Amino acid sequence: MGQHYNVKFLITMTLIATLGGLLFGYDTAVISGAEQSLQKYITADYNSFIHGVTVSSALIGCVIGGILSGKIAGKLGRKKSLQLAAVLLAVSAVLSAYPELLFFEVGEASLGLLIMFNIYRILGGIGVGLASAVTPMFIGEMAPSGIRGRLVSWNQFAIIFGMLVVYFVNYGIAFGESVTWIETIGWRYMFLTEAIPAILFFVLLFAVPETPRYLALNKQDDKAMAVLNRIYHSADHSRKVLADIVKTRNLEQNIKKTPLFAFGKTVIIVGIMVSFFQQFIGINVALYYAPRIFEDLGAGADASMVQTVVMGLVNVVFTLIAIKYVDKIGRKPLLIVGSIGMAIGMGGVSMLAGFNVIGISTLIFIVIFTASFMMSWGPITWVVLSEIFPNRIRGGAMAIAVAVQWLANFTITSFYPYMMEVSGAMTYGFYGLMCVLSGLFVWKFLPETKGKTLEELEKLWTKKEVSSDELAEEAALETK
């Protein structure tokens, strides 16, 4: 990584923080193994819409957690916010596994039980939404500029790894057991297992310091300096980094609350659009509905599961490629190349679906799409969101961007079955169009952030929208 950083400390901090990403992946995917059991026990007396809402209710919590993440991270700090997320996930895991625990008798399905189960899943979703915003924020504020991209990218790897882990956990719980046992006991164990990484995450976070930027922006310079001295080998360099942070803070001293649009609308819109495109290119449709897609395209049930595993391995390999090159090649080139690859992949699937051609070629194009995503928009979206917003508005701006991402996820995933009923070829064609537009957006509007400190990136937006002197003058007038 370099001679100026404490490599061991940075890797340890990143690994602990990315447990938040692992829980993100674990919680969103754990439902896959329990879904059919829930339909028989909790949603049996209701229509498919109610069942669909129950399966996806955690996403509602994710939106709420994303919206609240800015205020929570600003008030509690990054570290305590992650601990709160861990607590919410652990509580949700236990109560989702045994929704009767507080108010109901086991074995008696009722409307009340259905409502409480959804509340418990939403509670976990709030934890996921909170962790999804704060984890990359924490790593981004800890990491030196030269390796920030690589370290933040590990969060995406943790998300994908969390999904992969829960698939194996669910399989292990169900293996060799009867359908009756799975429908009465097994699905409970699936939810309950999430409490283990959640508790581990909560405990390990006690070994993590608060980020130096949060400390300095809250006028705890001595504590910030102590953390910086653990990150950098050079005390002089630590002092320089602290001085840069303090410069951005001094302007805020005359402002009780920095307005969200203090740096203009452009930076907020760019962050929102990055989140929007990451979901509307259709990646979560490919991940959530992979077995169904392969079955619809002609593969048998067993073959579709094998093909899904192939996709999972591709996801891991190409995320590692992104981690290796994000700080060498840069954010923009990887995102643009990824958009081109995704457009080719989805365009190919759309064309084949239009001609009703089914076979290995379809799998190849889907793998091209997912591989292109995993080496670009998957991890690099989180890198960009962690670094593009100025220090003083990062919490609030990140909250908006993450909330938009979860809303887009919920929207695109919910509409997929309906869109497929209308036209499969047009559905994949729509995602292909989104891939093209995402590349054009990055080329035209997204600045390159590689190798710049968070404070240097703040200057990028003040130059474009409003100067620091103008902000200072506005603040002085407001205080008079």
Side-chain angles (χ1 to χ4, degrees), residues 41 91-92 94-106 110 112-113 116-117 119-120 123 188:
Y41 178 47
V91 171
S92 171
V94 174
L95 293 178
S96 297
Y98 294 95
E100 310 92 343
L101 193 63
L102 300 178
F103 307 107
F104 306 99
E105 291 291 328
V106 175
S110 65
L113 183 66
M116 292 311 298
F117 177 82
I119 288 173
Y120 299 148
L123 194 67
R188 299 178 187 274

Side-chain angles (χ1 to χ4, degrees), residues 38-325:
L38 292 176
Q39 191 166 25
K40 295 200 174 174
Y41 178 47
I42 292 181
T43 63
D45 297 331
Y46 305 94
N47 59 31
S48 58
F49 174 75
I50 297 297
H51 177 66
V53 170
T54 300
V55 169
S56 59
S57 58
L59 289 175
I60 299 169
C62 292
V63 174
I64 297 169
I67 292 171
L68 296 177
S69 63
K71 287 188 177 181
I72 293 173
K75 191 164 187 178
L76 297 182
R78 288 36 166 166
K79 172 183 173 176
K80 288 182 180 177
S81 296
L82 289 175
Q83 286 186 309
L84 174 60
V87 170
L88 290 172
L89 283 160
V91 171
S92 171
V94 174
L95 293 178
S96 297
Y98 294 95
E100 310 92 343
L101 193 63
L102 300 178
F103 307 107
F104 306 99
E105 291 291 328
V106 175
E108 294 182 10
S110 65
L111 177 61
L113 183 66
L114 173 68
I115 292 170
M116 292 311 298
F117 177 82
N118 279 287
I119 288 173
Y120 299 148
R121 286 292 290 157
I122 289 170
L123 194 67
I126 294 172
V128 171
L130 185 57
S132 69
V134 180
T135 296
M137 189 190 303
F138 175 89
I139 299 171
E141 292 185 356
M142 278 284 194
S145 58
I147 57 170
R148 186 173 58 240
R150 267 176 286 171
L151 294 185
V152 175
S153 294
W154 278 107
N155 185 54
Q156 174 68 18
F157 180 86
I159 294 169
I160 296 300
F161 187 69
M163 290 180 174
L164 204 58
V165 166
V166 78
Y167 290 143
F168 280 104
V169 168
N170 286 350
Y171 177 77
I173 289 171
F175 182 75
E177 299 291 348
S178 68
V179 173
T180 303
W181 183 87
I182 294 169
E183 290 175 357
T184 54
I185 302 294
W187 68 271
R188 299 178 187 274
Y189 289 172
M190 292 174 188
F191 284 115
L192 196 60
T193 56
E194 189 181 1
I196 298 169
I199 293 168
L200 181 65
F201 187 38
F202 177 80
V203 173
L204 288 176
L205 280 167
F206 283 106
V208 170
E210 183 54 82
T211 71
R213 282 172 176 82
Y214 176 81
L215 292 169
L217 290 174
N218 284 273
K219 300 183 182 179
Q220 301 179 53
D221 293 3
D222 290 343
K223 290 182 179 179
M225 188 64 187
V227 177
L228 288 168
N229 283 333
R230 295 176 71 183
I231 295 173
Y232 299 101
H233 292 311
S234 167
D236 288 339
H237 188 73
S238 296
R239 281 191 286 271
K240 181 180 180 301
V241 172
L242 181 60
D244 287 340
I245 301 171
V246 170
K247 280 181 187 176
T248 69
R249 182 191 74 195
N250 287 341
L251 182 59
E252 192 182 11
Q253 288 180 341
N254 293 322
I255 307 174
K256 291 181 180 178
K257 183 179 180 182
T258 304
L260 187 63
F261 294 105
F263 297 86
K265 297 182 178 69
T266 303
V267 63
I268 305 296
I269 293 171
V270 167
I272 287 172
M273 292 307 295
V274 168
S275 286
F276 171 85
F277 277 120
Q278 194 207 33
Q279 295 302 318
F280 264 68
I281 53 184
I283 186 60
N284 278 317
V285 166
L287 293 178
Y288 295 164
Y289 290 100
R292 181 187 292 189
I293 289 172
F294 290 129
E295 285 184 39
D296 289 345
L297 293 172
D302 291 340
S304 72
M305 289 307 296
V306 171
Q307 290 172 348
T308 305
V309 170
V310 170
M311 278 181 56
L313 294 173
V314 167
N315 293 346
V316 169
V317 170
F318 280 84
T319 301
L320 290 173
I321 290 173
I323 291 170
K324 182 175 181 180
Y325 290 107

